[in-house]
Amino acid sequence: EYGGFQLKHRFMEATETSSANSQSVESDSYDDESSSFEYFEFLTENEKKPFFEAFVKNWAKYNVLKKEVRTHFLDKIKKVKETGVKNPFNPEFLRKRTLSVGSSMNEMLNKKKKQVLKSVQTPPFVRAVDKVAFVTGVMFLVSTEYFLLQKPTLMYLYYTALIIPLLIIRFLMYHRSKYHYFMLDFCYFCQLISLAFLFLFSHSIRMFKMTFCLTTGPLAMAVVMWRNSLVFHDIDKITSLFIHLIPPCVMFCYRWHPPNDVLFNSPTESTIEFSEILIAPIIFYVYWQAMYVLKTEVIDHVKLTNDKELMTSTRWMSEIHPHVVYKFIVSKGYKRRPEYILIGFQLGYTFLTLLPLKFIYEIYALHVVYLIAIFSIATWNGANYYFEVFSENYSARLKKLLNEKEDSNALPPNKLYPSLRSAGSFFGFSALFLIGFFVLYYLLLQ
């Protein structure tokens, strides 16, 4: 078949370049199924010579190519035999080959990762990130103002749309720095209570009053106590301010501009008793405190003891950055464990911040002044940060990044994403916490 095809092909080439006599022969009149040698009968003596020369040349090329291919495969087989693997599809051979390829890919990915990490530590990149964060912070302020003043009935949706991604980002960032135990603090418990009220118990006036007390009292006053700042370019500070200030704003909108299906017109709904302010909120606070101690002092006690880099609020306020109140109590000779001091202090702080809520709940003007005062303090703290800290330290921080870059061969010691075991432990405890929360709700507020 190959020879017949070559004869026909070469015959057609020969007829195209033949003399005038051969041009009179119409090549397309021949049947493809007839023998190729039949075409040979139409060639003249002068045409036979170039035809056979072309055919012999191509036949020689074919044989050379055939020999090269055979030699190539013989060399491959020889190399396989030299490696001691008789079969190239041997599982052991494939395993070694796979490991070799995987190692090369890991080296390439690590190299790219080092390049990216090196680039994000440069001053131009840091400045660009800070600029984007500043714009985001300003947009957060403008959007909050819009919903608070123009769409108060939708304020809870705005809060929900932002709080969930912010908490996810914070958990990832805090886990990398080993600060994720901060997310067991009371302010995050208030986020849980707020979301539970908004989407599960929105028609329960008793649940609303309890949520109002915890968010407008201890949560809002934490802006003053912990010096939260309105710093536009710092996503961490903006998130902290959002967590402490927006839930009180949501409760303000729910109290004075409730959705159409929730009205506070009856005397029972438009007023609040001191028993409603103190009993249920204090019980829920004590529940949170008990679960916090269970997690940090019992379940994860060994883990926290062995790893001093894992940061909790107790460790932060007693060892890293002792709070003013903690230092004052210790200076008076109280030498008990830091946990006891902080638990007692937080309980007293919660009780005191709940007391004025009866008047804030019942008087619109006082409620407005209260929130404005909290926001003004956060703004003042932000101004102090910009003019006393930021203006002096920012250039120095950029120079430090420029002069003290990490070794290009080193990778960050902490992972950005939490391990499955760590995340599972954290969220497993959260599930246990939620069960207790719902049991407590049905016992007290249902």
Side-chain angles (χ1 to χ4, degrees):
E1 290 177 354
Y2 179 80
F5 171 78
Q6 289 290 337
L7 283 171
K8 178 180 178 181
H9 181 66
R10 290 303 166 191
F11 169 73
M12 290 183 175
E13 287 185 353
T15 55
E16 291 177 357
T17 57
S18 62
S19 61
N21 293 332
S22 64
Q23 290 179 358
S24 61
V25 181
E26 296 181 358
S27 60
D28 56 354
S29 62
Y30 306 126
D31 186 7
D32 290 341
E33 297 180 356
S34 60
S35 173
S36 299
F37 291 99
E38 294 179 1
Y39 302 117
F40 184 72
E41 298 176 358
F42 294 95
L43 297 177
T44 63
E45 292 298 329
N46 295 331
E47 294 170 346
K48 290 179 181 179
K49 184 176 181 181
F51 175 83
F52 275 109
E53 287 179 352
F55 178 80
V56 171
K57 180 188 286 187
N58 283 278
W59 187 263
K61 288 181 180 179
Y62 163 74
N63 285 318
V64 170
L65 179 62
K66 181 178 178 181
K67 183 178 180 181
E68 290 178 352
V69 171
R70 186 171 184 275
T71 303
H72 173 75
F73 278 102
L74 288 175
D75 291 342
K76 286 289 184 181
I77 294 173
K78 183 178 179 182
K79 289 182 180 180
V80 170
K81 289 182 178 180
E82 290 176 354
T83 59
V85 182
K86 297 181 179 180
N87 181 7
F89 297 101
N90 186 286
E92 183 65 19
F93 175 79
L94 293 176
R95 188 185 68 82
K96 292 181 179 180
R97 183 66 176 172
T98 303
L99 291 176
S100 175
V101 173
S103 177
S104 301
M105 292 182 65
N106 286 334
E107 291 178 1
M108 180 181 67
L109 291 175
N110 286 335
K111 184 178 179 181
K112 292 293 183 182
K113 185 176 180 180
K114 293 170 189 175
Q115 293 175 353
V116 172
L117 291 173
K118 187 176 180 180
S119 64
V120 300
Q121 294 170 353
T122 58
F125 185 87
V126 174
R127 283 195 293 266
V129 171
D130 288 342
K131 292 174 184 177
V132 172
F134 186 91
V135 174
T136 304
V138 174
M139 291 300 102
F140 152 72
L141 181 62
V142 173
S143 59
T144 303
E145 181 182 5
Y146 170 77
F147 280 98
L148 188 61
L149 300 179
Q150 296 294 324
K151 301 290 184 181
T153 57
L154 300 179
M155 184 68 181
Y156 76 99
L157 294 177
Y158 167 74
Y159 160 74
T160 305
L162 289 181
I163 190 61
I164 295 176
L166 284 177
L167 290 181
I168 293 174
I169 293 172
R170 168 154 286 194
F171 180 77
L172 295 175
M173 293 177 63
Y174 273 22
H175 192 279
R176 183 181 184 184
S177 304
K178 295 189 175 182
Y179 284 3
H180 52 285
Y181 278 86
F182 278 125
M183 298 192 71
L184 297 174
D185 288 354
F186 181 72
C187 56
Y188 298 95
F189 174 63
C190 288
Q191 312 308 310
L192 171 65
I193 290 178
S194 299
L195 292 173
F197 163 71
L198 293 172
F199 295 99
L200 298 178
F201 313 111
S202 59
H203 294 279
S204 172
I205 185 62
R206 299 176 68 182
M207 182 65 176
F208 167 73
K209 289 181 177 180
M210 193 271 293
T211 307
F212 179 93
C213 292
L214 290 179
T215 56
T216 309
L219 182 64
M221 286 299 295
V223 173
V224 181
M225 181 60 63
W226 312 122
R227 295 181 58 83
N228 289 151
S229 307
L230 182 61
V231 178
F232 292 112
H233 79 282
D234 193 324
I235 188 64
D236 186 59
K237 293 184 182 298
I238 283 289
T239 302
S240 296
L241 185 62
F242 183 94
I243 288 172
H244 290 94
L245 193 57
I246 300 303
C249 292
V250 173
M251 293 301 108
F252 170 84
C253 294
Y254 232 88
R255 172 65 184 92
W256 303 107
H257 306 282
N260 295 330
D261 57 341
V262 180
L263 298 176
F264 301 108
N265 294 327
S266 68
T268 304
E269 296 172 344
S270 59
T271 60
I272 189 170
E273 300 297 331
F274 278 107
S275 59
E276 295 176 305
I277 293 174
L278 297 177
I279 295 177
I282 290 295
I283 291 176
F284 272 86
Y285 169 81
V286 171
Y287 168 71
W288 162 80
Q289 187 68 80
M291 296 298 290
Y292 182 87
V293 172
L294 175 66
K295 176 66 174 175
T296 57
E297 301 300 324
V298 179
I299 298 176
D300 290 345
H301 176 71
V302 176
K303 181 180 179 180
L304 292 170
T305 302
N306 294 335
D307 191 348
K308 296 299 182 181
E309 293 183 355
L310 282 173
M311 197 57 56
T312 64
S313 295
T314 302
R315 185 172 288 176
W316 180 268
M317 291 189 292
S318 62
E319 300 176 11
I320 308 302
H321 291 283
H323 196 270
V324 176
V325 177
Y326 175 80
K327 291 192 293 185
F328 174 78
I329 295 176
V330 172
S331 66
K332 295 301 180 180
Y334 192 85
K335 302 296 184 181
R336 297 293 181 90
R337 292 180 59 182
E339 296 84 357
Y340 300 151
I341 298 175
L342 294 173
I343 289 173
F345 165 70
Q346 286 183 321
L347 180 60
Y349 158 81
T350 301
F351 178 80
L352 292 175
T353 54
L354 290 173
L355 291 178
L357 293 183
K358 177 175 175 59
F359 310 102
I360 294 173
Y361 184 89
E362 297 177 358
I363 304 173
Y364 175 82
L366 184 60
H367 198 171
V368 172
V369 171
Y370 175 76
L371 291 180
I372 292 176
I374 296 293
F375 182 77
S376 299
I377 292 172
T379 306
W380 178 260
N381 292 338
N384 287 333
Y385 175 83
Y386 273 118
F387 290 102
E388 296 180 8
V389 179
F390 177 81
S391 59
E392 296 181 2
N393 296 342
Y394 190 70
S395 298
R397 183 167 70 93
L398 293 180
K399 290 179 181 178
K400 184 178 180 180
L401 287 174
L402 186 62
N403 298 328
E404 298 181 4
K405 289 182 181 178
E406 294 183 3
D407 183 7
S408 59
N409 295 323
L411 291 176
N414 298 323
K415 296 180 180 179
L416 175 62
Y417 303 106
S419 64
L420 291 177
R421 183 177 181 181
S422 176
S425 174
F426 197 86
F427 291 109
F429 176 78
S430 299
L432 177 64
F433 186 90
L434 286 174
I435 293 173
F437 170 79
F438 286 114
V439 171
L440 202 59
Y441 166 78
Y442 283 105
L443 290 176
L444 294 176
L445 303 177
Q446 183 64 18

